[in-house]
Amino acid sequence: MERSRFAFKIIFFVVLLLSVNTTAKAIDTDIDVKEIVFEHLEDSYHWHITEWNGKDIAIPLPVIVWSEKNGWNVFLSTPLYKEGSYEGFYIAPEGEFRGKLVEKNAAGEEVRPLDLSITKNVFSMLITSTLLIFIVIGAARWYKRHPMQVPDKFVGMMEMGVMAVHDSVIKENIGPDYKRYVPYLTTAFFFILINNLFGLLPIFPGGANLTGNIAVTFTLAICTFLATNIFGTKKYWKDIFWPDTPIFLKVPIPVMPFVEFFGIFTKPFALMIRLFANMMAGHTIILGLTCLIFITASMGVAVNAGMTVVSVLFCIFMNCIEVLVAFLQAYIFTLLSAVYIGLAREK
């Protein structure tokens, strides 16, 4: 306990010193809070780590694009940020394609090429997915080597998590034929969880806003949508097109069938928005609290020092809350997916 308290004091002191040092350098600089927040939330073609002596330290990522004018192009993103463009490709600073790779056609209009680039979010997903595969395979190999032993430490924690999802979420909500859905739902739970946690890390390989990207949550919601409707029973489809309601709600105007059919799409839509909005909101709040340090830099040393302490304390508090939210959102997505599948499988 004493070691934990000492470590917490050291971490707090270091963060405080770094914040004050950064603030001292930024006193004469206008801080665009909106730009800082959106720069963090948006995807990018490189992984910005920090700034040192006025120079950006970043990991360039591979850009893979195809356009009608230039064909296939594969290159690192370094010239896009240093020179501003490469072979006619550049990152749109504003407008409809803000932050995306574009080029100009013969008419001088900005158009998007076919973009298959390894962006920051894609690279983060590759890292976390690889890590998750190693964790699961490592736990499975431990069980093969120790078939008669009770797991402890990390393997025991993994077993506890898997069994909690398996017994309390999947098996309880789907019913007797739950086993076919176990691989998808357990994978979804741990995939969301590990990306939520990595998104809270302030340094590489963390910090990517993967689950706060609506394209990722949309894909997860589509998977639940397909699992629910492809394997739906006859009773499930009967309750949609001919629900057990008074006849005047079904003919001549099919009010209830329309409502039930519309519900097929609103359920995965709710899953998509819930995960996306909660994770994006957490990142936005933490960034907004951090920017208080820079906003108060021109208000004097006393005010800025006080707000620096307040900002750091609130950021630590919000990060602790976000750790809870990371687990909670993974659990809620898996639980609701299991409920929707269970309703479609009801006999």
Side-chain angles (χ1 to χ4, degrees), residues 161-173:
V162 171
M163 294 310 297
V165 175
H166 179 276
D167 295 341
S168 302
V169 178
I170 304 174
K171 185 176 180 180
E172 185 174 328
N173 289 285

Side-chain angles (χ1 to χ4, degrees), residues 310-323:
V310 171
S311 176
V312 171
L313 288 174
F314 270 103
C315 283
I316 293 173
F317 171 74
M318 281 303 304
N319 272 284
C320 293
I321 295 295
E322 282 299 298
V323 171

Side-chain angles (χ1 to χ4, degrees), residues 66-342:
W66 181 88
S67 69
E68 294 182 358
K69 183 168 62 174
N70 296 319
W72 284 103
N73 286 266
V74 180
F75 57 94
L76 288 178
S77 61
T78 304
L80 295 176
Y81 293 94
K82 287 189 175 181
E83 284 82 29
S85 64
Y86 179 84
E87 298 293 335
F89 299 104
Y90 63 94
I91 299 174
E94 57 186 2
E96 180 184 358
F97 304 125
R98 182 183 187 274
K100 301 298 182 181
L101 199 68
V102 296
E103 62 176 347
K104 290 189 176 180
N105 58 16
E109 301 171 335
E110 283 188 347
V111 293
R112 286 209 64 193
L114 176 63
D115 195 347
L116 303 177
S117 304
I118 306 297
T119 61
K120 179 181 177 181
N121 282 343
V122 175
F123 190 44
S124 174
M125 183 170 60
L126 292 175
I127 292 173
T128 54
S129 298
T130 304
L131 178 61
L132 184 58
I133 290 171
F134 275 107
I135 290 173
V136 173
I137 292 177
R141 286 181 176 177
W142 187 95
Y143 279 103
K144 287 184 178 180
R145 292 195 302 266
H146 309 86
M148 304 304 293
Q149 292 186 22
V150 177
D152 59 357
K153 297 181 181 178
F154 185 78
V155 178
M157 184 180 67
M158 282 297 298
E159 180 183 347
M160 180 181 66
V162 171
M163 294 310 297
V165 175
H166 179 276
D167 295 341
S168 302
V169 178
I170 304 174
K171 185 176 180 180
E172 185 174 328
N173 289 285
I174 294 180
D177 60 341
Y178 70 93
K179 291 185 179 180
R180 69 170 71 180
Y181 305 101
V182 170
Y184 163 63
L185 292 174
T186 51
T187 301
F189 174 80
F190 286 104
F191 175 80
I192 294 171
L193 176 61
I194 194 171
N195 282 292
N196 286 352
L197 294 176
F198 263 71
L200 298 177
L201 297 177
I203 58 175
F204 179 83
N209 186 35
L210 189 66
T211 47
N213 187 312
I214 199 166
V216 175
T217 60
F218 172 77
T219 303
L220 290 169
I222 286 294
C223 292
T224 298
F225 172 80
L226 294 176
T228 302
N229 294 285
I230 289 177
F231 301 104
T233 61
K234 292 180 180 180
K235 184 179 184 301
Y236 168 73
W237 290 106
K238 175 184 174 298
D239 287 341
I240 290 175
F241 293 107
W242 195 258
D244 188 15
T245 56
I247 193 68
F248 64 85
L249 294 176
K250 295 181 284 189
V251 291
I253 301 175
V255 176
M256 288 308 298
F258 175 78
V259 171
E260 293 292 340
F261 183 76
F262 188 68
I264 294 176
F265 303 97
T266 57
K267 291 174 183 177
F269 180 79
L271 284 177
M272 176 185 70
I273 296 298
R274 181 183 286 106
L275 179 59
F276 159 72
N278 277 282
M279 299 315 300
M280 187 184 69
H283 285 254
T284 304
I285 292 171
I286 292 173
L287 287 168
L289 290 171
T290 304
C291 288
L292 285 176
I293 301 172
F294 307 104
I295 294 172
T296 58
S298 60
M299 298 181 182
V301 177
V303 175
N304 184 237
M307 290 307 299
T308 298
V309 174
V310 171
S311 176
V312 171
L313 288 174
F314 270 103
C315 283
I316 293 173
F317 171 74
M318 281 303 304
N319 272 284
C320 293
I321 295 295
E322 282 299 298
V323 171
L324 175 62
V325 172
F327 282 88
L328 188 61
Q329 288 304 315
Y331 176 81
I332 289 175
F333 185 94
T334 310
L335 175 65
L336 291 179
S337 295
V339 169
Y340 297 155
I341 294 171

